[in-house]
């Protein structure tokens, strides 16, 4: 039982780290666009995965646009995949919140017609 609790504690810590990574201007804009393109709750995981990948791509391209070098992320390291998983969990939380708010407003709009 302790192993299961430790696993969920680590997953919770990873989600908090991902939420901290998403809770910046770039992450919030990506999450907002992801929520706007969602049609239903089934699209949450796909939107969160796409948002995490887009966040990593922008993180790799942005230094190049500022005059630096283009550096590919080390995709064979465990750190990269843990960071991507953390971003995925963080985007899942933020996109779900944005989509919930969106669904509140769109239901009212459909009920008025």
């Amino acid at each position: 039982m302790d192993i299961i609790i430790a696993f969920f504690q680590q997953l919770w810590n990873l989600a908090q780290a991902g939420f901290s990574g998403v809770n910046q201007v770039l992450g919030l804009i990506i999450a907002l666009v992801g929520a706007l393109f969602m049609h239903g709750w089934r699209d949450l995981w796909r939107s969160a995965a796409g948002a995490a990948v887009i966040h990593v791509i922008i993180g790799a391209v942005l230094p190049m646009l500022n005059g630096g070098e283009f550096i590919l992320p080390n995709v064979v390291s465990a750190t990269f995949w843990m960071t991507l998983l953390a971003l995925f969990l963080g985007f899942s939380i933020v996109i779900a919140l944005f989509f919930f708010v969106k669904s509140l407003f769109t239901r009212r709009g459909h009920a008025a017609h």
Side-chain angles (χ1 to χ4, degrees):
M1 188 67 174
D2 290 336
I3 295 173
I4 295 171
I5 293 171
F7 171 76
F8 282 114
Q9 183 63 38
Q10 288 178 347
L11 193 62
W12 178 256
N13 292 339
L14 197 59
Q16 286 179 329
F19 183 75
S20 296
V22 172
N23 199 11
Q24 298 171 9
V25 175
L26 176 64
L28 292 175
I29 291 171
I30 293 170
L32 182 62
V33 171
L36 289 175
F37 281 108
M38 280 180 55
H39 297 292
W41 285 105
R42 291 182 192 165
D43 298 334
L44 176 63
W45 306 117
R46 186 178 18 227
S47 294
V53 169
I54 288 170
H55 193 276
V56 169
I57 290 171
I58 290 174
V61 172
L62 196 59
M64 183 181 69
L65 295 176
N66 291 331
E69 295 182 15
F70 177 70
I71 300 172
L72 286 173
N74 188 6
V75 297
V76 295
S77 71
T79 305
F80 170 79
W81 291 105
M82 293 303 286
T83 303
L84 191 63
L85 178 61
L87 283 172
F88 170 76
L89 293 172
F91 275 116
S92 298
I93 295 167
V94 176
I95 290 174
L97 291 172
F98 283 159
F99 184 72
F100 176 71
V101 172
K102 174 190 164 189
S103 66
L104 290 176
F105 287 112
T106 56
R107 282 190 187 151
R108 287 188 189 156
H110 286 219
H113 293 294

